Amino acid sequence: MLPCSAAGQAPVPAALSLEEALRLAEANNPRLAVARQEAALSDADVIEARQRPNPEFEIESEGFRPGASTGFANGQELSLRIAQPLELGTRRGARIEAANAGRAAARARLADVVRQVRREVGRASFARAAARAETVAAQAALEEIDRIIAVNRARYEQGEVSGGELRRLEVERLRFADDLLTADLAVRQATSELRAAIGTGRLDDSIVPTEGLDVPATAALPRADAALAAALERRPDIVALRHERERAQAEMRLQRALRLPAPTIAGGYKRDFGDQGIILGLSIPLPIFDRNQAGQRRSDAARRLADARLRQAETAVALEVQQALDLLEVSRRRADALERDYLVRAREARDSVAASYRLGEADLIDYLDAQRAFRDVQRAHSRALVELRLSLFELQAVIGTLPGEPRS
């Protein structure tokens, strides 16, 4: 309790739904905390872009001779002057537009980090559920072979089976026990990954996700063009690149505006050995050697780079969407085939051979083969369910429509 209280975090419940895990990760994930602070830096850029140049105050004294009879005020040439640089054209507007686009891009990048963290949490949650399902199946298989061993031990004591068959069965138990240990290790590792993704609590604390592996009946396969259009509209990384392109375009306009020099107007008061006057001045730098050629060329290259990065990202998103759709379709067909055609038959075959073996009508090899076949089909079915559920989640992550995800 003390570490949680010190960090200002609420304790994570032992039973955790996917929606709750996503909410906790968004509040506590350290990667998100870093991304939020990076996004906050862009606010300072906007404030800086809105500022106007500061005026300059100048005071100058010449010709003062100490001890002169004219006194201090009339014994020197005294000038007081205030100068103000002027921003002409579109300089300030382009600078503000570039800063606003940069801030929008930073916030979109933050939203993309949220999407990535949600993706990590979902993967860890489904991996934990899959490992738990493997553990339950492995435990059931181990209990079944333990029952057979107990029966054979009694039969051996009565002389119905040989000692070699009993020892063979006891040695075969190692595989089932190892399956259980492997599944238990997968549960522990997935739990630690989920804890780390959530960003709260100790990594060795127990946690049980309530999310199942069943795919919702309403989860229809979307059309490829509709999925791609949604991804290009909603994906925050694409939105961030669009804002980066806007920022590059505004920066290009700013650099072109900087070709012309910024004048400075000045005004003040002058007292020249008793005579008073007003000072007016105008200062204009002469654009003879430097007309901001480097800044213009750099901004043009940055604009083209932003366009190229956006096109590259859109192509990558189109590929991700198509691959996610293909994975979802194939995963659905695999899970349906295993459940409809193979799982029931493998269970029936195992139960039939086990019953025959108990009655002495089947030998040990047949029984072990039936157990292995059922275990393989059961493991394949469990993995197919995980792949199907995860493929649906991945499609939502690729499109940018994860549960509770804000629009960019």
Side-chain angles (χ1 to χ4, degrees), residues 37-260:
Q37 297 306 316
E38 291 177 346
L41 296 176
S42 60
D43 295 334
D45 296 335
V46 175
I47 295 176
E48 182 181 9
R50 293 181 180 275
Q51 303 303 313
R52 297 183 182 275
N54 288 322
E56 297 177 1
F57 175 72
E58 181 181 350
I59 181 170
E60 184 177 354
S61 174
E62 294 183 6
F64 176 70
R65 293 186 298 274
S69 60
T70 54
F72 177 78
N74 296 327
Q76 63 181 315
E77 182 179 330
L78 182 65
S79 300
L80 304 175
R81 182 166 52 221
I82 295 178
Q84 175 64 56
L86 300 179
E87 287 191 302
L88 303 180
T90 60
R91 289 188 181 188
R92 185 168 182 269
R95 189 172 64 245
I96 293 175
E97 185 179 351
N100 285 332
R103 179 172 62 179
R107 291 177 176 176
R109 285 193 294 269
L110 171 60
D112 190 55
V113 175
V114 173
R115 181 182 70 90
Q116 294 173 16
V117 168
R118 288 171 172 270
R119 198 173 186 176
E120 293 172 3
V121 171
R123 286 174 174 174
S125 179
F126 290 125
R128 171 63 174 75
R132 181 57 187 166
E134 285 276 344
T135 302
V136 172
Q139 182 66 44
L142 184 61
E143 291 174 357
E144 171 65 20
I145 198 170
D146 282 340
R147 286 192 294 268
I148 295 296
I149 290 176
V151 171
N152 275 20
R153 187 172 291 116
R155 294 172 63 189
Y156 168 72
E157 293 173 354
Q158 295 175 5
E160 298 180 6
V161 296
S162 65
E165 184 171 338
L166 177 60
R167 286 190 293 272
R168 170 69 183 277
L169 195 58
E170 290 174 340
V171 171
E172 192 69 22
R173 182 186 184 278
L174 175 62
R175 295 191 180 186
F176 294 87
D178 188 65
D179 284 347
L180 181 59
L181 291 175
T182 302
D184 182 64
L185 177 60
V187 169
R188 292 169 182 248
Q189 291 179 338
T191 301
S192 298
E193 291 177 3
L194 182 57
R195 280 280 184 182
I198 292 175
T200 181
R202 293 176 45 179
L203 297 185
D204 58 349
D205 286 344
S206 177
I207 186 172
V208 181
T210 60
E211 193 74 14
L213 298 178
D214 295 334
V215 177
T218 57
L221 190 67
R223 290 182 15 239
D225 54 349
L228 178 58
L232 295 179
E233 177 190 359
R234 294 182 60 96
R235 280 276 292 261
D237 52 342
I238 298 297
V239 174
L241 289 173
R242 291 196 183 107
H243 287 306
E244 287 291 350
R245 182 177 61 181
E246 295 172 2
R247 187 192 64 79
Q249 292 171 346
E251 184 68 25
M252 184 178 63
R253 290 192 293 271
L254 173 61
Q255 294 300 324
R256 288 180 177 175
L258 292 175
R259 292 177 302 175
L260 302 178

Side-chain angles (χ1 to χ4, degrees), residues 281-401:
L282 176 65
S283 174
I284 303 177
L286 299 178
I288 298 176
F289 303 109
D290 182 9
R291 292 185 294 277
N292 198 32
Q293 298 94 328
Q296 293 181 70
R297 180 164 294 186
R298 188 180 300 109
S299 64
D300 287 342
R303 178 188 58 81
R304 293 192 297 270
L305 178 61
D307 288 338
R309 284 176 173 170
L310 179 58
R311 291 194 301 271
Q312 180 186 25
E314 289 176 343
T315 302
V317 167
L319 177 60
E320 287 184 31
V321 169
Q322 187 59 53
Q323 288 179 337
L325 289 171
D326 293 340
L327 178 61
L328 178 58
E329 181 182 2
V330 173
S331 299
R332 190 190 299 273
R333 289 163 53 188
R334 179 185 292 117
D336 290 343
L338 283 169
E339 185 169 359
R340 182 183 62 249
D341 300 330
Y342 298 102
L343 185 62
V344 175
R345 296 176 184 176
R347 182 182 289 110
E348 291 175 350
R350 181 205 61 175
D351 294 343
S352 176
V353 173
S356 299
Y357 180 72
R358 293 190 188 97
L359 297 176
E361 299 175 357
D363 57 23
L364 179 61
I365 300 300
D366 293 336
Y367 169 74
L368 294 178
D369 288 343
Q371 284 284 1
R372 293 192 197 104
F374 174 73
R375 187 73 184 93
D376 291 341
V377 173
Q378 189 180 40
R379 186 181 291 112
H381 179 252
S382 178
R383 290 174 179 172
L385 288 179
V386 174
E387 290 179 2
L388 176 57
R389 191 66 181 88
L390 187 57
S391 64
L392 178 60
F393 184 85
E394 286 289 329
L395 179 61
Q396 293 174 330
V398 166
I399 296 177
T401 57

